[in-house]
Amino acid sequence: MSVQTISALTTSVEQAQEILRRDGAIIITDALPAGVIDEVDAELAPYLDRVPFSQGNFFGWRTKRCASILVKSRASHQMAANPYVTDVVKGMLLPFCESIQLSGTQAIQIHPGEPEQLLHADEELWPAERGRMQYQVNTVWALTDFTKENGATRIVPGSHTRDAIERLPDESEIVYAEMPRGAVAVWLGSTIHGGGANQSNAPRTGLSLAYCLGWLRQAENHYLANPPEIARTYSRELQELIGYNVHSPNLGAFEGQDPKVLLEMGERPDVLAFQDFMPEWAAALLAEYCAARDAAKRAA
């Protein structure tokens, strides 16, 4: 089995939604002109060149990540607001909300030597009741070709219908979202997936633009009401109450770090090393998984 690939030129939005509901994932080609991909690639390259490798078993040790994509790349706006892709996403989320929103933006560059990531479901960001509704839909645009060898995303088709998240399913159930540069992989927040191991000699780069339910946010936009230049004068307790903190696992980060770094620094940094923010039980699970994974590879 593989992730089904369709063309935005020949497949209706309704047909794409049907496949996504059935399989939990889909690959879409021909949604953007190649020139847009070139622009995004060029705009993000300086940041990916400078950003340090991530620091954690989840975000990886040989993976570069940077956020605030809409600020760093004007061309990426054509991805974030792509009418075909957002219409597909709306079909999954609007039954449960009045409008969708961007949950997170992230360029992800997996370098050679990075092992496969822990399989997970994006809805684990929230205390979601599995199967009740879809909380998020993620999209990853290929800025380079995605192949099994260079770390294409691993996906378990149909896993969105399971009652529990299986971290170690049978290998025969895992497929790779192999796709050409410019295509976009779309999967439900309940679909089990994870980054692949890069066993090639070159980085694999993708742009993640995740969408979530419109009500998964604060009633007031505290970041506009209390921008950093004002919030840095508040007590740390008040800063945390209005949202300048990270709620594990990995919710509310700034460039992959606790937002307090933005308040403590004199100048706004544009790249920082991503850091894992996990509850103790999740950190222990990740450490156990990585130890077992690496031991199995050494024994092979």
Side-chain angles (χ1 to χ4, degrees):
M1 187 177 182
S2 62
V3 180
Q4 185 166 341
T5 299
I6 63 167
S7 168
L9 299 178
T10 59
T11 307
S12 70
V13 167
E14 292 74 22
Q15 289 172 313
Q17 292 171 344
E18 183 179 350
I19 296 168
L20 188 53
R21 289 191 190 95
R22 182 193 68 200
D23 297 342
I26 192 172
I27 292 172
I28 302 170
T29 63
D30 306 314
L32 275 179
V36 175
I37 304 300
D38 294 339
E39 289 182 57
V40 173
D41 198 10
E43 289 170 339
L44 294 181
Y47 299 99
L48 288 169
D49 287 344
R50 298 201 314 275
V51 69
F53 285 114
S54 300
Q55 303 170 8
N57 287 329
F58 184 76
F59 284 129
W61 301 94
R62 293 284 301 163
T63 296
K64 290 188 171 187
R65 299 170 184 264
C66 62
S68 306
I69 298 301
L70 301 182
V71 175
K72 294 181 169 77
S73 169
R74 293 288 299 185
S76 72
H77 297 192
Q78 298 180 64
M79 293 176 170
N82 181 271
Y84 186 93
V85 174
T86 54
D87 280 351
V88 171
V89 171
K90 288 175 182 177
M92 304 299 108
L93 298 181
L94 286 186
F96 313 109
C97 63
E98 293 185 355
S99 63
I100 65 172
Q101 62 180 338
L102 270 175
S103 176
T105 66
Q106 191 177 134
I108 305 171
Q109 189 174 76
I110 300 178
H111 281 245
E114 181 71 275
E116 65 273 14
Q117 187 185 39
L118 175 77
L119 291 174
H120 61 283
D122 290 330
E123 69 181 17
E124 291 181 276
L125 283 171
W126 302 282
E129 182 181 340
R130 189 164 176 80
R132 181 185 178 192
M133 66 182 70
Q134 294 301 329
Y135 297 85
Q136 175 170 304
V137 177
N138 200 4
T139 70
V140 172
W141 295 83
L143 299 187
T144 59
D145 290 342
F146 274 39
T147 68
K148 181 178 179 179
E149 183 185 20
N150 73 8
T153 307
R154 300 185 301 154
I155 292 176
V156 182
S159 56
H160 61 300
T161 64
R162 299 179 182 179
D163 293 334
I165 295 171
E166 299 175 37
R167 309 288 180 188
L168 297 170
D170 188 280
E171 284 293 324
S172 64
E173 298 183 78
I174 299 174
V175 301
Y176 291 80
E178 296 187 291
M179 56 182 173
R181 183 174 186 266
V184 56
V186 183
W187 61 82
L188 301 177
S190 53
T191 298
I192 300 169
H193 68 283
N198 190 339
Q199 300 172 323
S200 73
N201 58 8
R204 181 278 267 177
T205 308
L207 177 56
S208 170
L209 299 172
Y211 303 84
C212 69
L213 300 173
W215 46 261
L216 283 175
R217 65 182 301 178
Q218 295 159 294
E220 180 182 3
N221 192 320
H222 292 294
Y223 310 106
L224 291 179
N226 308 277
E229 62 269 24
I230 296 175
R232 63 168 46 100
T233 67
Y234 297 174
S235 69
R236 181 60 191 148
E237 180 182 16
L238 185 56
Q239 291 169 355
E240 291 182 349
L241 285 174
I242 61 175
Y244 285 93
N245 66 335
V246 174
H247 184 292
S248 65
N250 302 313
L251 274 179
F254 168 74
E255 290 292 332
Q257 292 274 356
D258 190 310
K260 69 180 180 181
V261 302
L262 178 62
L263 305 182
E264 294 170 351
M265 292 182 174
E267 296 182 0
R268 175 190 172 99
D270 60 3
V271 290
L272 292 168
F274 269 58
Q275 177 183 344
D276 284 347
F277 291 95
M278 296 283 172
E280 290 184 8
W281 68 266
L285 175 65
L286 276 166
E288 180 180 353
Y289 167 82
C290 292
R293 177 198 65 198
D294 296 341
K297 289 186 176 181
R298 288 192 296 269

